[in-house]
Amino acid sequence: MSKTAPDHDFPFEEGDTVLVRVRENGTGGNIVAKFTAECTSIDARPGPTGDFARFELPGMMNSVSYRPYEAEFEVVGR
Protein backbone atom coordinates (compact mmCIF):
# COMPACT_ATOMS: atom_id res chain seq x y z
CA MET A 1 0.00 0.00 0.00
CA SER A 2 1.40 3.43 -0.89
CA LYS A 3 1.74 6.15 1.73
CA THR A 4 -0.99 8.17 0.01
CA ALA A 5 -3.47 5.28 -0.23
CA PRO A 6 -6.45 5.59 2.12
CA ASP A 7 -6.71 3.10 4.97
CA HIS A 8 -10.34 2.33 4.15
CA ASP A 9 -12.47 0.91 1.31
CA PHE A 10 -14.35 4.07 0.23
CA PRO A 11 -13.68 6.09 -2.97
CA PHE A 12 -13.79 9.35 -0.97
CA GLU A 13 -12.36 11.00 2.13
CA GLU A 14 -13.81 12.78 5.16
CA GLY A 15 -15.05 16.22 4.17
CA ASP A 16 -15.96 15.20 0.59
CA THR A 17 -19.50 15.81 -0.62
CA VAL A 18 -20.87 12.47 -1.80
CA LEU A 19 -23.95 11.36 -3.73
CA VAL A 20 -25.15 8.24 -1.88
CA ARG A 21 -27.50 5.76 -3.57
CA VAL A 22 -28.93 3.11 -1.27
CA ARG A 23 -30.34 0.09 -3.07
CA GLU A 24 -32.63 -2.71 -1.91
CA ASN A 25 -29.84 -5.27 -2.01
CA GLY A 26 -26.56 -3.46 -1.37
CA THR A 27 -25.39 -2.38 -4.82
CA GLY A 28 -28.21 -4.16 -6.72
CA GLY A 29 -31.96 -3.69 -6.98
CA ASN A 30 -34.12 -0.58 -6.92
CA ILE A 31 -32.87 2.66 -5.38
CA VAL A 32 -34.70 3.16 -2.06
CA ALA A 33 -32.90 6.34 -0.96
CA LYS A 34 -30.68 8.90 -2.65
CA PHE A 35 -29.09 11.97 -1.09
CA THR A 36 -26.07 14.24 -1.27
CA ALA A 37 -24.20 14.89 1.97
CA GLU A 38 -20.79 15.62 3.40
CA CYS A 39 -18.92 12.65 4.82
CA THR A 40 -18.34 13.59 8.45
CA SER A 41 -16.24 10.57 9.42
CA ILE A 42 -14.84 7.29 8.20
CA ASP A 43 -14.18 4.55 10.72
CA ALA A 44 -11.67 2.07 9.34
CA ARG A 45 -12.13 -1.19 11.24
CA PRO A 46 -10.28 -4.41 10.59
CA GLY A 47 -12.19 -7.63 10.64
CA PRO A 48 -15.64 -8.80 9.61
CA THR A 49 -17.56 -5.63 10.54
CA GLY A 50 -15.35 -3.55 8.24
CA ASP A 51 -15.24 0.16 7.51
CA PHE A 52 -18.17 2.53 7.65
CA ALA A 53 -18.74 6.14 6.61
CA ARG A 54 -21.04 8.58 8.44
CA PHE A 55 -23.10 11.26 6.72
CA GLU A 56 -25.18 14.06 8.24
CA LEU A 57 -28.60 13.97 6.58
CA PRO A 58 -29.35 17.26 4.81
CA GLY A 59 -31.98 19.33 6.61
CA MET A 60 -32.21 16.89 9.53
CA MET A 61 -30.54 16.44 12.88
CA ASN A 62 -29.79 12.75 12.26
CA SER A 63 -26.86 11.00 10.65
CA VAL A 64 -26.55 7.67 8.87
CA SER A 65 -23.69 5.24 8.39
CA TYR A 66 -22.99 2.87 5.50
CA ARG A 67 -20.42 0.21 4.78
CA PRO A 68 -18.81 0.11 1.31
CA TYR A 69 -21.08 -2.74 0.12
CA GLU A 70 -24.34 -1.22 1.42
CA ALA A 71 -24.63 1.64 -1.09
CA GLU A 72 -23.12 3.30 -4.17
CA PHE A 73 -21.00 6.40 -3.68
CA GLU A 74 -20.07 9.18 -6.11
CA VAL A 75 -17.91 12.16 -5.13
CA VAL A 76 -19.56 15.40 -6.24
CA GLY A 77 -17.33 17.88 -4.37
CA ARG A 78 -14.13 18.12 -2.37
Side-chain angles (χ1 to χ4, degrees):
M1 180 184 290
S2 75
K3 291 183 180 187
T4 59
D7 59 350
H8 56 77
D9 293 328
F10 292 100
F12 54 87
E13 298 294 326
E14 289 180 20
D16 288 350
T17 301
V18 180
L19 172 63
V20 180
R21 293 180 197 96
V22 183
R23 295 189 175 268
E24 289 178 330
N25 186 17
T27 56
N30 294 327
I31 294 175
V32 294
K34 179 169 78 170
F35 61 91
T36 302
E38 181 179 332
C39 175
T40 57
S41 67
I42 296 175
D43 189 1
R45 295 182 177 186
T49 60
D51 305 343
F52 66 88
R54 180 170 302 281
F55 301 91
E56 296 296 322
L57 291 175
M60 302 188 82
M61 296 186 68
N62 294 333
S63 63
V64 293
S65 298
Y66 292 103
R67 289 181 168 72
Y69 56 85
E70 293 178 323
E72 297 173 357
F73 306 96
E74 181 181 336
V75 177
V76 294
R78 295 199 182 253

